[in-house]
Amino acid sequence: MSAGGIPSIAPRDAAAATAPGAADDPATRPLIVDVREPVEFASERIEGSVLIPMSVFADRHGELPKDRPLVMQCHSGSRSSSATMYLLQRGWTDVRNLDGGIAAWMRDGLPVRTGTPEPGEGDL
């Protein structure tokens, strides 16, 4: 739990939980939700993450599953912290903020994709 009582997860723990071998059923692995804007997503992104930018988050948050763990992610953890609280206040129960965002993920040497996303990449 990070400051302010927002559930959080360290980058290495998130990477281990979302790795292909982490669960027999992929639908039970946490889903990483990137709340940055599309230009940021194109710059670097966590493989398998879905993009729901903060600019449309209030309109699109209902698309997110309530029956699967969610890891919210932005650049440094600030915007995703707000998104985490937003979902928790609206009935989602298994939502955590990625500590330090993708910046911490990359500092830990964890893999990212870069460049123009492939068609469908980032879609829910």
Side-chain angles (χ1 to χ4, degrees), residues 80 89 102:
S80 54
Q89 291 169 348
I102 197 167

Side-chain angles (χ1 to χ4, degrees), residues 11-69:
R12 288 191 183 280
D13 293 337
T18 58
D24 291 334
D25 180 0
T28 63
R29 288 195 304 261
L31 176 65
I32 297 178
V33 181
D34 191 330
V35 299
R36 299 173 304 151
E37 296 304 313
V39 67
E40 295 172 280
F41 186 80
S43 176
E44 70 269 332
R45 59 203 166 276
I46 298 171
E47 185 156 5
S49 62
V50 299
L51 178 64
I52 301 185
M54 284 299 284
S55 60
V56 296
F57 194 79
D59 293 332
R60 294 193 51 208
H61 74 279
E63 298 172 25
L64 293 170
K66 286 189 172 182
D67 61 349
R68 183 174 178 186

